[in-house]
Amino acid sequence: MFNRNRYLPPLAVIASISVVTGCGVFSSDASDDADPIVVGTTSTPSTLDPAAAWDSSWELMRNVFQPLLGYSPGGSEPEPDAAESCEFTDSSSTVYSCTLREGLKFSNGHALDAKAVKYSFDRIKKINVNGGPAGLLTTLSRVQTKGDREVVFHLSQPDATFPLVLTTPAMSIVDPEEYPADKLREGGDIVGSGPYNLASYEDGKTAELVRNDNYEGIADLKNSAVTIQYFQQSDEMVKALKNKDISVIYRGLGASDIVDIQANHDEEGLQIVENPTTEISYLVFNPKDPWTKNPAVRKAVAQVLDRPALAHNIYKDTVEPLYSMIPRGLVGHTTGFFDDYGNPSATKAKSILTEAGITETVPLELWYTTDRYGSQTKPAFEELKRQLEASGLFKVTLKSRPWKTYSEGYQNGEYPVFGRGWNPDFNDADNFIAPFVGEQNALGTPYKSPEITDKLLPESRAESDRGAVAEEFEEAQQILVDDARLIPLWQGKAYTAANEEIAGLENVIDPATMMTMWQLSWKTSW
């Protein structure tokens, strides 16, 4: 039964829930051991260039590049990173100025100055990758430099979310001598100014990170080196953890793996930390497809889907049913899809189709990625297929690809219906609406909604008090419900598993649910 009163607290007040091994007690002091900590994940980067990245490629970028603003461990408000200070300098939130720290350098020793910052932002907008991070900079008109250390951002309209945008890895500062102004950088290396250097990289397999001695910023490194090992299947990753071939797992744990580790952590010498997050999973409908361009087809799908069954039967209650694109815990969250559709009903769905003149079985081609969101993804889409076909209204063909080609496919508009996950760029309701609407969005499928893009988003961004924008986001969500172009499925939690020798799990996940590898360390003694 769906409980409409269940509430997930904001990330600002989230407390970690830890399950810790009972076989011994470690000292709280962490060592800066020379041995690299090996982290397993299913989030293989699709690109190494920040100008192209608006996906989980950010996980690696967070650790090797540096934005102007970042987050302290456990913090929820942006703080200076490459910047020494940042602030709006006008009363209308249209001029934002940052002063850089003195003596910043890239990992190759080149100076990081105001010109490099301007170059990085201008480059994102000039290259303008389809489905890329230029969509985060729609309010940025121009960037101005004043001397070597001051950068001024001029916005086309008030935008109180702009400091939050600056925390994202997409806004990483790049070396103008290494990154072309008008095209993406090729190759498997990175020149950044973040806490780590990328010592080596093998696409789809490993990324070796070592401490960047030139780094000046907010991160306090607890280790000297981290190796990220990329897996396609979560069961292989869990096996590697239990065999101590890796020390930490983040992103990609299957539901059965989570339940198993929670139940048997003592015997296996493991620990697992659970953090509620605003991660969501949803379906996207392509308006160019001859079937899914019809609102009645989309609404009939929305009427049939059984989210509680998906969450319980497939995800073992490690996720929760979601009925709006803005997740629980954020200002403006509603339960619009439940309010409008109620419980799943094939009868109601048939009426929706019949009223639109559709009496034949509707063919749907439903796509998912094989190696991004964990081993439950395939069973989840098989369950969606089962639910839709059980109604007698749909004939579903399931198709899949690895993430790299999958993301290219949806950005090129190839899929009639496809699944996506969303980890927030920043922890604000704006980031669960703005990236998905407008001509240029993160999904590669234009979604024209002038009421949202020209009215509701600008009105909300003009309000510096982010707790006072509920009305605008409630209206925006109702538009999304009425259109049914995006159908939310579930809201997740962040699970980090590790061997008992690892410390720092409680603060390793930032507000955008990315792992800050520098928080990990080896425990020093029993």
Side-chain angles (χ1 to χ4, degrees):
M1 178 66 70
F2 169 57
N3 182 353
R4 295 177 59 188
N5 296 318
R6 294 189 71 178
Y7 177 71
L8 177 67
L11 289 188
V13 295
I14 281 174
S16 296
I17 304 169
S18 293
V19 180
V20 186
T21 59
C23 56
V25 178
F26 293 99
S27 72
S28 59
D29 295 326
S31 65
D32 184 9
D33 199 291
D35 292 336
I37 295 173
V38 183
V39 176
T41 180
T42 58
S43 289
T44 304
S46 61
T47 177
L48 297 183
D49 192 326
W54 203 356
D55 61 16
S56 291
S57 301
W58 285 8
E59 198 92 64
L60 176 61
M61 294 179 185
R62 171 67 81 205
N63 292 276
V64 295
F65 286 106
Q66 186 178 26
L68 290 167
L69 300 175
Y71 296 97
S72 292
S76 60
E77 295 297 325
E79 298 179 33
D81 192 353
E84 181 178 86
S85 63
C86 290
E87 63 180 348
F88 280 107
T89 58
D90 66 334
S91 58
S92 60
S93 299
T94 59
V95 181
Y96 196 72
S97 177
C98 290
T99 300
L100 297 174
R101 296 174 185 263
E102 288 190 37
L104 290 177
K105 294 181 181 180
F106 290 104
S107 56
N108 59 7
H110 294 173
L112 191 166
D113 57 13
K115 290 181 180 179
V117 176
K118 173 177 167 57
Y119 181 91
S120 300
F121 281 81
D122 290 346
R123 179 175 180 267
I124 293 171
K125 300 197 74 171
K126 184 171 185 177
I127 297 175
N128 195 23
V129 172
N130 183 38
L136 287 167
L137 297 175
T138 55
T139 63
L140 179 61
S141 292
R142 64 186 178 93
V143 184
Q144 175 189 11
T145 62
K146 293 183 177 180
D148 291 336
R149 293 178 56 206
E150 187 176 359
V151 185
V152 182
F153 299 93
H154 296 270
L155 310 181
S156 59
Q157 61 191 41
D159 187 359
T161 70
F162 189 72
L164 301 174
V165 172
L166 294 184
T167 67
T168 67
M171 304 304 134
S172 297
I173 307 164
V174 300
D175 184 349
E177 295 185 39
E178 296 284 348
Y179 289 78
D182 57 355
K183 64 180 181 179
L184 298 177
R185 189 173 192 260
E186 298 178 354
D189 58 346
I190 285 174
V191 177
S193 60
Y196 297 98
N197 294 333
L198 183 64
S200 68
Y201 180 76
E202 189 173 359
D203 188 22
K205 294 185 178 180
T206 59
E208 295 184 0
L209 312 183
V210 296
R211 179 193 293 268
N212 176 12
D213 291 332
N214 287 329
Y215 173 72
E216 295 287 342
I218 200 170
D220 179 16
L221 275 71
K222 307 295 186 184
N223 60 67
S224 296
V226 172
T227 295
I228 305 172
Q229 188 169 340
Y230 299 108
F231 292 83
Q232 292 192 352
Q233 300 297 328
S234 60
D235 55 348
E236 297 173 357
M237 188 166 57
V238 172
K239 182 179 179 181
L241 178 68
K242 292 181 177 180
N243 290 339
K244 296 197 173 182
D245 295 325
I246 64 175
S247 297
V248 183
I249 287 179
Y250 179 60
R251 215 179 292 285
L253 276 171
S256 57
D257 301 321
I258 294 167
V259 172
D260 175 66
I261 294 173
Q262 287 175 329
N264 301 299
H265 61 93
D266 281 341
E267 295 85 352
E268 296 176 335
L270 301 176
Q271 54 181 320
I272 187 165
V273 173
E274 170 194 319
N275 282 287
T277 72
T278 50
E279 173 191 4
I280 67 171
S281 177
Y282 58 101
L283 295 178
V284 183
F285 291 80
N286 189 338
K288 295 182 180 180
D289 179 77
W291 284 102
T292 58
K293 70 179 181 181
N294 191 323
V297 171
R298 305 194 299 262
K299 291 179 180 180
V301 171
Q303 183 62 71
V304 167
L305 292 182
D306 188 339
R307 294 170 179 83
L310 183 67
H312 180 71
N313 297 336
I314 305 301
Y315 288 97
K316 314 298 182 187
D317 299 317
T318 60
V319 303
E320 297 182 346
L322 183 63
Y323 294 86
S324 72
M325 287 300 289
I326 296 177
R328 287 177 294 278
L330 295 182
V331 169
H333 166 71
T334 67
T335 54
F337 276 92
F338 184 83
D339 298 339
D340 282 24
Y341 293 94
N343 292 318
S345 171
T347 302
K348 290 181 181 179
K350 184 176 182 179
S351 296
I352 293 171
L353 293 173
T354 302
E355 289 174 9
I358 301 173
T359 56
E360 67 267 48
T361 301
V362 176
L364 287 180
E365 193 175 274
L366 182 57
W367 283 80
Y368 65 92
T369 181
T370 58
D371 59 353
R372 170 63 51 159
Y373 304 120
S375 59
Q376 251 60 44
T377 303
K378 181 180 179 181
F381 277 77
E382 290 173 343
E383 169 66 10
L384 294 177
K385 171 183 168 74
R386 185 198 66 76
Q387 292 180 10
L388 291 168
E389 292 189 339
S391 70
L393 304 173
F394 301 96
K395 178 60 179 177
V396 178
T397 301
L398 288 181
K399 293 190 175 182
S400 61
R401 287 176 178 170
W403 175 254
K404 203 156 193 176
T405 53
Y406 180 78
S407 59
E408 292 171 359
Y410 73 67
Q411 288 170 2
N412 292 329
E414 296 178 18
Y415 311 144
V417 192
F418 60 96
R420 273 295 312 265
W422 186 253
N423 292 288
D425 304 328
F426 49 84
N427 198 36
D428 189 280
D430 183 282
N431 196 236
F432 290 87
I433 301 291
F436 310 128
V437 295
E439 285 288 343
Q440 185 180 41
N441 62 51
L443 302 173
T445 55
Y447 184 175
K448 294 181 180 179
S449 180
E451 180 71 10
I452 293 178
T453 57
D454 300 343
K455 180 179 181 293
L456 296 174
L457 287 177
E459 287 177 358
S460 70
R461 288 169 175 172
E463 176 57 68
S464 59
D465 179 1
R466 303 309 293 162
V469 293
E471 183 176 345
E472 288 85 355
F473 287 120
E474 288 168 1
E475 290 183 32
Q477 285 177 98
Q478 189 57 50
I479 292 171
L480 298 183
V481 171
D482 294 340
D483 291 344
R485 282 275 306 274
L486 308 167
I487 297 183
L489 297 174
W490 51 258
Q491 178 171 342
K493 304 169 187 177
Y495 291 91
T496 306
N499 291 323
E500 58 190 7
E501 297 90 352
I502 298 297
L505 296 185
E506 288 76 12
N507 291 320
V508 77
I509 307 304
D510 76 3
T513 68
M514 286 176 283
M515 179 173 277
T516 53
M517 307 289 181
W518 59 85
Q519 289 294 323
L520 298 171
S521 62
W522 296 104
K523 293 178 179 177
T524 57
S525 62
W526 288 90

